[in-house]
Amino acid sequence: SDMRKVFSDYWRSEFAKSAVRFPDEGLVFDYYINPVDKRPAHWNDRIQEYTHDSTGQWADIVVPTLDTTRISFLAQKLLEINKPIMLVGGPGTAKTSLLSMLLRNMDPDTNVHFNINFNSFTGAESLQPMLEQPLEKKTGSSFGPPGTKKLIYFIDDFNMPAPDKYGTQSAIELARQQVDYGGFYDLKKLTFKHIVHTSFVGAMNPLAGSFFIIDRMQRHFATFAAPPPEAEVCRMIYGKIFSGHLERFHQSCADKAEMLTSAAINLHLNVADTFLPNAIKFHYQWNLRELSNVFQGLCSTVPDVFTSPKQFARLWVHEATRVYSDRLISTEDSDKFKEIVQKVSKDLDFIKAEELLEEPNFFSNFAGGGDERRCTTPSPPSTTCPRFSTRSSPSTTT
């Protein structure tokens, strides 16, 4: 059951006669108290307009939504008072991107951040040098960030370190020691190092690693859930990214952005509903990361070569095949995937199904003269197919 709705209904019934009444539309989580008139205001009113940057890195793209706006506002207020924060959510829910954006937007004259990625092999002996790397000696046994700045450690995949035979995650215990006691011991001199002007932010996937971290560490964090966006929100997110990318292309291509976005979202939803994980197909895990990989390939195109919507449609089929179909383990599943592609592509009225699914359909980069990167199709050998830009490195096509 949706506990957010249950809590929202309870809140409205319990405080119905209070001075502050929330509107009946949506959930109470959709509103905040406006400090000016002390009345509930919708978070949608604070969502900033997205502007696409064609020169930026794909991993740095964050499209503002109601969830990201709400979490960003609360996280920023907590960081200002040195309160550690943590985002918990499944893969592809923009936890890392959101926290990275928050840290980048902080005043560089007063704040500095340092990224640490945990994995199953991270232990206290490997974490301590990382924690010491951005520090400098202050006075005596005190260490801190350069000058008068405040240092924020961003630990990604916080719950990934493998527990030892006693069930302890030594890396997390070392970080807890720094938070609880203000430092840790020098491994050579065996003297206590006082670490000053530091704080932590973290992100973790509750479905991976050890699923959670010790409560004595968790208690220090203000923890927020990063829920996966609904289908309509996904259409909005990737629609804005893809439409922004196609602004530099021929108008006939830009006009088909919404249609191609809808087809890509529908394909992802159908794949997630059809190919379910089991004991043999345990890797059939379809989340927003796969959908992001598809659009990353679509946004790696350049306008001087991609001049027709049909080229984008065939590129979409290629990207979807590399991301989804290449992970399927049987011919039966591959054939079923082709049927799904044919079904969701019926709305693409600018290209026939036979032309869309015609084989071979490959896109890949090859180094040419100078900075040129072109890809060629297997047949006919002399035909050159669209060139990708070099601003990002998708895992499937560039």
Side-chain angles (χ1 to χ4, degrees), residues 45 66 102 112 163 242:
D45 299 337
L66 186 145
L102 279 175
V112 61
F242 195 38

Side-chain angles (χ1 to χ4, degrees), residues 42-56:
H42 205 286
W43 281 107
N44 283 335
D45 299 337
R46 299 184 67 98
I47 298 179
Q48 298 180 355
E49 189 65 27
Y50 171 74
T51 303
H52 186 73
D53 181 11
S54 59
T55 62

